[in-house]
Every structure is written in structure tokens, then in C-alpha cells.
Amino acid sequence: MKDIDVIAVLQDPVRRRLYEYVAAQGREVGRNEAAEATGVARTLAAHHLDRLTEAGLLESGSRRLTGRSGPGAGRPAKVYTRAQVERSVSLPARDYRTAAELLAEAAEEAGLDAGLCAAARRRGEALRGAAEPCGGLAEAMELLAARGYEPHLEAGELGEADEGDEAGQGDRGGVVRMRNCPFHVVAERFPPLVCGMNLALLEGLIGTDGPVRARMDARPGECCVVVEASKNNEH
């Protein structure tokens, strides 16, 4: 199936809601959960989830959702996760990926890491404009979401959030991780170069002298950068 046909599968509003819900969870999602979350019948959800799987937008498997095993544990249920395959459409056809990979290869061979990071930091600062550095994790998440990083707050890595944290965002106790890397394809081929560039870009976007900071903390299936409270903001 061509990419344009795959993306056309999302034209159905129910199918689109189901895809967006599964993609946002970052884990396996069962049919009952997806149906309840999107407000549709289970049979309708199952039909659309399987259609999304056939199109290659989701991957499916089966496991017991009860957490039990052995007799009486129940039959395995079908579960879904977002597919790792990247889809894109350009009309007329363009091939920016090849250009990006060639430029990354040349930069790596020429040892231009420092220059690339400096340029990325300047770009991040330009995107931030005259605004002050991010005032907290909630604000940082808005910026990251707008740029396609799919951020989510993972509380407890630096200690539980203090009582009274605004909007429960845990600015002093959480780590913002990102389920999507906008540079994923090139980063897979040139991880040190592209991940360093990504970090510098986010340092410029978020700021390095405010209450939050970006740092490298690679984890399989997620962006290599995380955002957390700055050390000088802890107390």
C-alpha cells in the first residue's frame, strides 16, 4: 500500500480517534480500552483497529490483560501499538530524507559536530524568539508538543512532585520524556551527530539558564533527550 493510501485510511473520524489514542499511550492498548476511550462500541473499535493494522499504521499482538497466568486466567486479548514504520507524503515527490542523510554523513566525516550543534542551538533560540526561558515543565511540554515530540511527564525519577505544584505538573519531581523523535530516521544512522544536534536545538528552544533543562538520556523507542528541573532550581 502506498503511503498516500495509508494516510487516507485516517480520513474516517472514528478511525482517526482510535489511532491517535493508541499512539498517545506509548504501550499496548486492548480493544475494550480503546473503545471506551473514544466512545464507540467494541465491535466498531475492533473493526477500525484491525483496518489500521492492515494499513500498517498499528501493530497487533495478544496477551492476557488480567495480569494472571495459568488456569482461569482467561484467553489472551488482542492488543495494539503504533507501528514504527514512518509514513510521509509529498506532492510532487520530494526526497528530503536522502539529502539529510548525505549532509549528516558529510558532517560526521568532516568532524563538524561542534558546528552543527552551535547552528542547532541558534535555531532553537530563534524559534523561542524574545521569550524568556521556559518557566516550568508544563510550558516546556507545550513547546515540545507543538514541534511533534509527543512529550509525557514521567513522575518520580527525581522524587515525587511536591504538594502544591501548579496543575499537578510536578515541576520539581518529574522528567519529561518524548515518545517521538522528529529526526528518527537520520538519528538511527548517525546517532551521536543527530542526537547531539537535537539536544542543542532543545537547549536553545527551552533555554539553559531557566528552571528547566534538557539533557541526554537515551531510551529505546523514545527521543534521546529528556527535560527536567534544573539543578539550581531544586530545593
Side-chain angles (χ1 to χ4, degrees):
M1 187 179 289
K2 295 180 180 179
D3 281 3
I4 192 169
D5 297 321
V6 170
I7 293 173
V9 169
L10 294 173
Q11 184 176 0
D12 183 283
V14 173
R15 200 173 293 155
R16 176 79 173 267
R17 291 205 309 272
L18 285 163
Y19 173 77
E20 290 176 342
Y21 178 77
V22 173
Q25 304 316 302
R27 55 174 173 78
E28 294 176 330
V29 175
R31 289 172 168 175
N32 288 340
E33 178 187 345
E36 183 176 348
T38 55
V40 299
R42 183 184 183 280
T43 52
L44 181 61
H47 166 73
H48 285 304
L49 290 167
D50 286 340
R51 183 73 182 90
L52 290 164
T53 303
E54 291 169 8
L57 290 165
L58 297 181
E59 295 176 353
S60 64
S62 61
R63 68 177 177 85
R64 289 188 173 88
L65 300 178
T66 61
R68 296 180 297 167
S69 60
R75 295 173 57 188
K78 202 163 187 178
V79 291
Y80 303 84
T81 56
R82 179 169 59 181
Q84 295 301 310
V85 177
E86 184 175 310
R87 305 286 185 177
S88 63
V89 173
S90 178
L91 299 172
R94 298 287 188 262
D95 190 5
Y96 300 113
R97 178 185 300 179
T98 297
E101 290 177 346
L102 288 171
L103 289 168
E105 183 177 350
E108 189 172 74
E109 290 179 354
L112 300 178
D113 304 55
L116 177 61
C117 287
R121 191 170 289 106
R122 289 195 300 271
R123 175 59 63 90
E125 291 169 351
L127 291 170
R128 178 158 52 96
E132 295 293 322
C134 282
L137 294 183
E139 184 181 343
M141 288 178 71
E142 290 182 6
L143 285 174
L144 294 167
R147 301 208 61 81
Y149 283 91
E150 299 183 8
H152 64 101
L153 184 67
E154 187 173 278
E157 288 198 6
L158 299 179
E160 294 300 324
D162 293 343
E163 291 184 9
D165 275 352
E166 185 177 354
Q169 293 299 318
D171 275 13
R172 292 182 288 277
V175 172
V176 175
R177 294 188 177 273
M178 294 163 266
R179 294 194 175 100
N180 182 52
C181 171
F183 317 109
H184 173 71
V185 172
V186 187
E188 279 196 320
R189 288 197 57 188
F190 309 95
L193 181 77
V194 178
C195 291
M197 177 200 74
N198 188 24
L199 174 62
L201 177 69
L202 293 182
E203 286 176 339
L205 180 66
I206 293 169
T208 57
D209 54 355
V212 297
R213 64 163 186 166
R215 67 174 174 86
M216 201 78 75
D217 187 12
R219 176 185 285 187
E222 294 191 341
C223 178
C224 58
V225 179
V226 300
V227 177
E228 65 185 10
S230 299
K231 296 298 183 181
N232 57 16
N233 190 51
E234 296 177 0
H235 51 97

